[in-house]
Amino acid sequence: MKKYISLVFCLIFILSILIRSEAFAQKATPARPNIVYILADDLGYGDIGAYGQQKIETPNIDALAREGMIFTQHYALPVCAPSRYSLMTGIHSGHAYIRGNDEWAQRGDVWSFKAMEANPSLEGQLPIPDSTITIAKVLKNSGYRTGLVGKWGLGGPMTTGIPNNQGFDYFFGYLCQRQDHNYYSGHLWENTYRVPLNNKVMDPNIKFPDNLDPLDEKNYEVYNQEDYSPDFIIKAALRFLESGKGKPFFLYFASPLPHTSLQAPKRLVDYYHKKFGDEKPFLGGSYLPCRYPHATRAAMITLLDEHIGEIIKKLKEMGVYKNTIIVFTGDNGATYEAASDGEWFNSGGPFRSDYGWGKGSVHEGGIREPFIISWQGKIKAGSKSDLITANWDFFPTVCELIKAKQPENIDGISYLPTLLNSPQQQKHPFLYWEFPGYGGQQAVRLGRWKGIIQDMNKGNTTIQLFDLDNDIQEQHDVANQHPDVVKRIAQIMKEQHRTPEVASFRMKVLDGE
């Protein structure tokens, strides 16, 4: 009997050692990092302090830059929807399902804000298919809580494209990118339900009345109503962070700021009005009128910065900041719309950002973006990289980070080795863009060279060539001096283009239709 008792005690002792060893192993193995991806809307390369902005104050973003890594050669796409699609899928625009802003107009009067308020099926852009493999789906299948707060733009209500069908456990914000043309909208969305706001539905494309004094600030009060959507969006982001503690999370904070219309809290507008002095009002016609357009755009960017500060504060309060990767960037270049005045702000930084050069263009001012990544204790503070990257590189980077299998068809390359100061970084042999909007365009970045074709919808196929090392503003076409480079770029353009599944994204000169 004593023999059996001794054996039992021996087994218990061995089992306790195994349990302690397992507990130690779990404790010693670092938890998978949380991921916060912050995407600004229509933010220029030079719109924040860390990238040279002198007039607009962005202390929280600048602090992220000091604590992490700045990339100087990071790219997005010319406009909202295709940029967000490439981010979510790791696929560049020559292979993408979404290649432009398709408002899906065959449904009816999709630009009527009253009609959209009455009929939700008129909201949203062309939906992505349910078979789409998004980074949110990969993260969710890997045990992450996934949340999208802000602007989506890849499918309207009751379609396959809504965030909850694309890997997000939680969604709050704008499904439709037209809706956020007015920050005092009639509603937002939480998952698949409308959240009504206490605002009167107003078409943002109205003009200031001729019978009112345009210099009287009180005459603009009608355009600033009760419920300001960014207030609700940041609160939803903080709620998501607080929920489900103990499980790794992915927050895609796709803020609508600072996209026009020009609308911001009065306290910030007053601050910048005092700083900048009086100015000429914007009287509307395309987006809502605004008494102080410079002060208001600056206020919107500073508000975005404040929201980022709130997210960082919450992460620290939760004790997860050190194990959270924070990415900050934008979806396309600086806008030229509604008196946003990128030239006055130097929004493009070293690049031009006026019409034809900023938003909507494959020139550097339209696609090169600020890109900051912070991960305390992992990424060297105050570091800088000139690695050429694109937003479709995020997908493979995350897959390498969490050791998940990445889809075979993606075009991105992981930049995780650069973040961790590893010499094993693979580089893009080239980057490719195509965009059927703004006349039809193609572009290739090939080392120091940038090849562009414009006006493709008019049948143009002539490649312009720019030497970015010596001509960062793309002012001097040197195609005649480097026919071998032009030939290589033409070959890349041919190889990387696939006929779009969606007819509205086809260009006759490429697709024969």
Side-chain angles (χ1 to χ4, degrees):
M1 185 67 179
K2 289 181 179 179
K3 185 177 180 181
Y4 288 114
I5 293 173
S6 298
L7 181 61
V8 169
F9 275 107
C10 184
L11 290 172
I12 292 171
F13 177 71
I14 293 170
L15 183 61
S16 68
I17 291 175
L18 290 173
I19 291 171
R20 285 198 299 271
S21 298
E22 177 66 20
F24 176 78
Q26 289 179 358
K27 186 176 181 180
T29 303
R32 286 177 297 172
N34 307 303
I35 304 167
V36 175
Y37 194 102
I38 301 166
L39 187 71
D41 197 346
D42 284 8
L43 187 80
Y45 186 88
D47 270 334
I48 58 175
Y51 283 75
Q53 177 56 228
Q54 298 295 311
K55 295 182 170 115
I56 305 170
E57 298 169 24
T58 54
N60 294 296
I61 299 170
D62 300 344
L64 275 181
R66 290 192 300 271
E67 294 174 7
M69 180 179 289
I70 284 180
F71 286 74
T72 61
Q73 301 194 82
H74 180 74
Y75 290 93
L77 281 88
V79 294
C80 297
S83 193
R84 292 156 196 267
Y85 179 85
S86 286
L87 170 65
M88 286 290 101
T89 62
I91 299 174
H92 70 50
S93 51
H95 301 152
Y97 183 80
I98 301 294
R99 306 191 192 186
N101 286 343
D102 189 324
E103 303 303 333
W104 210 14
Q106 56 265 43
R107 292 172 293 171
D109 191 1
V110 297
W111 281 101
S112 168
F113 288 80
K114 289 185 178 179
M116 280 191 283
E117 199 68 26
N119 182 3
S121 67
L122 293 176
E123 282 189 59
Q125 287 60 51
L126 185 73
I128 57 178
D130 55 5
S131 59
T132 305
I133 300 175
T134 66
I135 188 59
K137 288 181 179 178
V138 171
L139 284 163
K140 183 174 181 176
N141 290 338
S142 300
Y144 275 70
R145 288 191 303 119
T146 55
L148 163 58
V149 178
K151 168 177 156 180
W152 177 234
L154 296 175
M158 301 164 285
T159 71
T160 59
I162 63 172
N164 300 97
N165 288 341
Q166 295 296 335
F168 288 99
D169 296 315
Y170 179 73
F171 167 68
F172 185 92
Y174 290 100
L175 283 173
C176 176
Q177 61 196 29
R178 296 187 306 276
Q179 284 282 333
D180 83 341
H181 290 190
N182 184 355
Y183 289 96
Y184 295 93
S185 55
H187 64 273
L188 293 169
W189 288 85
E190 186 167 36
N191 297 319
T192 57
Y193 299 96
R194 268 188 173 187
V195 177
L197 300 182
N198 188 24
N199 298 317
K200 179 182 178 181
V201 176
M202 182 180 294
D203 186 334
N205 301 307
I206 59 177
K207 291 184 178 181
F208 188 83
D210 292 335
N211 62 332
L212 296 179
D213 179 4
L215 300 181
D216 187 344
E217 187 177 339
K218 292 182 179 180
N219 290 330
Y220 294 82
E221 291 178 355
V222 65
Y223 309 120
N224 299 293
Q225 300 186 58
E226 185 70 24
D227 287 344
Y228 184 60
S229 63
D231 292 342
F232 293 81
I233 286 169
I234 183 58
K235 289 176 183 176
L238 300 179
R239 284 198 307 271
F240 171 78
L241 292 175
E242 288 177 334
S243 64
K245 291 181 180 179
K247 192 175 183 182
F249 59 80
F250 168 49
L251 170 61
Y252 173 29
F253 185 65
S255 175
L257 296 166
H259 194 293
T260 44
S261 293
L262 295 169
Q263 297 166 307
K266 190 175 186 304
R267 62 178 176 87
L268 289 174
V269 175
D270 288 347
Y271 173 79
Y272 279 109
H273 177 213
K274 183 178 180 180
K275 182 176 180 178
F276 297 157
D278 203 9
E279 55 179 303
K280 181 181 177 181
F282 171 65
L283 301 180
S286 60
Y287 302 100
L288 288 160
C290 177
R291 176 61 187 90
Y292 304 113
H294 286 165
T296 305
R297 177 165 173 81
M300 293 170 80
I301 294 174
T302 293
L303 180 63
L304 170 63
D305 183 83
E306 289 183 355
H307 288 171
I308 293 170
E310 291 186 57
I311 289 172
I312 292 169
K313 181 181 177 182
K314 179 60 67 177
L315 294 172
K316 290 179 177 178
E317 288 174 352
M318 293 169 59
V320 299
Y321 179 73
K322 288 185 178 181
N323 195 39
T324 301
I325 299 175
I326 303 175
V327 183
F328 172 80
T329 189
D331 66 341
N332 53 248
T335 184
Y336 51 85
E337 300 165 313
S340 52
D341 205 350
E343 184 176 356
W344 190 80
F345 282 110
N346 194 31
S347 291
F351 317 112
R352 289 183 60 179
S353 61
D354 49 317
Y355 183 82
W357 295 87
K359 177 182 178 178
S361 167
V362 293
H363 282 296
E364 295 293 291
I367 56 177
R368 201 184 295 202
E369 285 296 308
F371 191 52
I372 298 168
I373 306 183
S374 175
W375 188 10
Q376 196 172 77
K378 303 288 185 177
I379 297 174
K380 184 180 177 181
S383 54
K384 183 177 289 188
S385 174
D386 61 0
L387 180 71
I388 297 174
T389 58
N391 68 359
W392 52 91
D393 293 331
F394 177 66
F395 198 125
T397 301
V398 170
C399 287
E400 183 177 4
L401 177 72
I402 67 170
K403 296 179 173 55
K405 184 178 179 181
Q406 68 181 46
E408 294 180 357
N409 67 327
I410 65 175
D411 299 301
I413 293 175
S414 169
Y415 44 74
L416 185 63
T418 293
L419 299 180
L420 302 181
N421 197 27
S422 166
Q424 306 302 317
Q425 180 64 59
Q426 183 183 357
K427 297 182 179 181
H428 283 285
F430 60 83
L431 291 179
Y432 172 80
W433 296 264
E434 66 179 63
F435 179 47
Y438 290 69
Q441 305 166 62
Q442 272 182 307
V444 168
R445 173 78 193 265
L446 184 66
R448 68 190 288 181
W449 304 107
K450 177 86 171 288
I452 293 177
I453 305 178
Q454 295 179 300
D455 294 323
M456 298 183 73
N457 294 334
K458 295 181 181 179
N460 182 47
T461 58
T462 301
I463 295 175
Q464 295 176 294
L465 183 68
F466 304 100
D467 178 0
L468 296 182
D469 283 358
N470 298 298
D471 180 23
I472 198 68
Q473 290 203 341
E474 303 161 290
Q475 298 296 296
H476 306 288
D477 181 4
V478 294
N480 290 337
Q481 290 99 293
H482 301 278
D484 54 332
V485 178
V486 172
K487 183 178 179 180
R488 174 64 182 134
I489 287 175
Q491 181 182 2
I492 292 169
M493 288 178 169
K494 182 178 180 180
E495 291 173 349
Q496 294 302 308
H497 170 77
R498 294 179 191 160
T499 299
E501 295 178 59
V502 180
S504 64
F505 300 144
R506 295 173 190 163
M507 293 183 274
K508 187 175 182 180
V509 71
L510 295 178
D511 304 304
E513 297 181 27

